[in-house]
Amino acid sequence: MTDTVKLFTDGACKGNPGPGGWGALLVCKGVEMELWGGAVNTTNNRMELMGTIRGLEKLKRRCDVLLVTDSQYVMKGTNEWIANWKKRGWKTVTKEPVKNADLWQLLDEQCNRHNVIWKWVRGHIGYLGNERADQLANRGVDELLCYKQK
């Protein structure tokens, strides 16, 4: 029997590119775990991907995961685009390199470790788990900027 985990993820960026942060909130059997981090020079899309990757990486055994995100980019990329990118050797339909291919490959590995069900929610409308993931992503940026100033 596998555990069921709710994973809420988000990314944030102050400028695009610019300093960014990612956040993930894992909830299983009433227990919560918050994760966050950041990068000095990044994009919002990279941070959205990182929140999802880091959340899935934290799970040490196969789980049923309800992955809740406000990122169409991450959800569509995983569910609609990635299979063809892999077939084309990580090239787009126009034969250009896939942006963020390094992170897409990591996310693909993590998704294959679990049974992931995706749920998209509109961001910033009060959906509690999504709002908390957003706060964690912004915490990642804020801590990065705080340390950078010292």
Side-chain angles (χ1 to χ4, degrees), residues 27-133:
V27 182
C28 183
K29 298 178 184 173
V31 177
E32 297 181 352
M33 177 181 286
E34 296 179 335
L35 306 169
W36 66 92
V40 176
N41 188 28
T42 191
T43 64
N44 189 67
N45 284 342
R46 286 188 71 81
M47 293 295 92
E48 293 280 359
L49 286 162
M50 285 301 298
T52 308
I53 292 164
R54 294 296 182 241
L56 290 170
E57 280 178 344
K58 200 67 174 173
L59 304 172
K60 299 303 177 198
R61 62 182 180 275
R62 184 169 187 81
C63 296
D64 292 330
V65 179
L66 175 61
L67 203 154
V68 183
T69 181
D70 63 9
S71 174
Q72 290 278 351
Y73 175 70
V74 174
M75 192 171 89
K76 284 186 176 183
T78 303
N79 292 316
E80 298 175 26
W81 309 330
I82 203 166
N84 286 324
W85 290 339
K86 291 192 308 190
K87 286 179 193 172
R88 291 190 295 262
W90 296 98
K91 302 279 188 204
T92 65
V93 71
T94 60
K95 307 223 183 328
E96 296 294 318
V98 170
K99 289 181 181 172
N100 304 312
D102 58 331
L103 297 182
W104 284 114
Q105 290 167 11
L106 288 173
L107 180 55
D108 187 44
E109 289 173 20
Q110 291 305 313
C111 285
N112 288 331
R113 293 179 50 234
H114 304 287
N115 176 33
V116 180
I117 298 168
W118 292 81
K119 179 177 181 180
W120 179 81
V121 296
R122 186 172 306 281
H124 312 291
I125 62 164
Y127 194 95
L128 185 60
N130 179 254
E131 294 293 336
R132 292 204 33 215

